[in-house]
Amino acid sequence: MASRMFNALARLLSAFANRFRCGLIQFRYTGVSIGRSVIIDRGVYIRALDGGNIHIGQNTHIWRNSIIEARGGNLHIGANGLVNAGCYLLATSKIEIGENALIAEYVTIRDQDHAHERNGQPYTQQGRVEAPIIIGDNVWIGAKS
């Protein structure tokens, strides 16, 4: 009996902590919208900077130690998705992930890269190139991709 009560209390506290994390993220970054029943684990960083926007669809789970950032770009994660532990998603242009997408642990998705057209010039002086990334519905991206 006491074990069941303890488990129920632990679930209640966990749900409260999750709602608090979601609310705090949306309060700090006005460009972030989080759907119903989204779970954001401890150690997750979600930031919308420089006019960027992030939308996380309902029933999506973002596992611990993941970083999701929009720096001037738009990042959309569809409903019923999973972003596993240690993932890094960064949008400076556009990243769109469809519904029911599973992203395994330690996956990195970035819509920009260093330019490298000018041989002999340091990469730090060549700027960046950007291109939108569209990932469809019902996909699975394997670990460390």
Side-chain angles (χ1 to χ4, degrees), residues 34-52:
I34 299 173
R36 288 187 348 260
S37 302
V38 168
I39 298 173
I40 297 175
D41 284 345
R42 287 175 291 159
V44 171
Y45 292 96
I46 298 175
R47 295 180 277 244
L49 307 168
D50 303 327

Side-chain angles (χ1 to χ4, degrees), residues 75-95:
L75 197 156
H76 177 91
I77 301 171
N80 307 309
L82 171 70
V83 177
N84 216 315
C87 289
Y88 185 55
L89 284 62
L90 172 61
T92 59
S93 175
K94 178 182 179 180
I95 296 175

Side-chain angles (χ1 to χ4, degrees), residues 3-138:
S3 174
R4 263 195 275 160
M5 287 178 56
F6 178 77
N7 289 339
L9 180 60
R11 282 192 305 275
L12 182 64
L13 289 174
S14 178
F16 177 76
N18 179 65
R19 288 306 315 149
F20 181 76
R21 276 191 295 275
C22 290
L24 185 60
I25 290 165
Q26 291 179 101
F27 177 76
R28 286 186 73 189
Y29 302 102
T30 58
V32 175
S33 68
I34 299 173
R36 288 187 348 260
S37 302
V38 168
I39 298 173
I40 297 175
D41 284 345
R42 287 175 291 159
V44 171
Y45 292 96
I46 298 175
R47 295 180 277 244
L49 307 168
D50 303 327
N53 293 293
I54 297 172
H55 173 75
I56 301 172
Q58 67 183 16
N59 300 317
T60 294
H61 190 155
I62 312 293
W63 282 63
R64 69 192 183 293
N65 302 324
S66 291
I67 298 172
I68 299 174
E69 286 186 276
R71 291 187 201 154
N74 295 304
L75 197 156
H76 177 91
I77 301 171
N80 307 309
L82 171 70
V83 177
N84 216 315
C87 289
Y88 185 55
L89 284 62
L90 172 61
T92 59
S93 175
K94 178 182 179 180
I95 296 175
E96 187 173 315
I97 301 169
E99 295 185 359
N100 301 299
L102 303 177
I103 301 173
E105 59 276 344
Y106 304 107
V107 169
T108 297
I109 302 172
R110 302 171 63 116
D111 63 359
Q112 78 288 332
D113 199 358
H114 293 284
H116 53 78
E117 289 81 26
R118 296 175 282 197
N119 291 334
Q121 187 173 13
Y123 290 115
T124 57
Q125 297 174 7
Q126 294 192 42
R128 293 186 314 191
V129 292
E130 299 176 349
I133 295 175
I134 310 295
I135 298 171
D137 295 338
N138 195 32

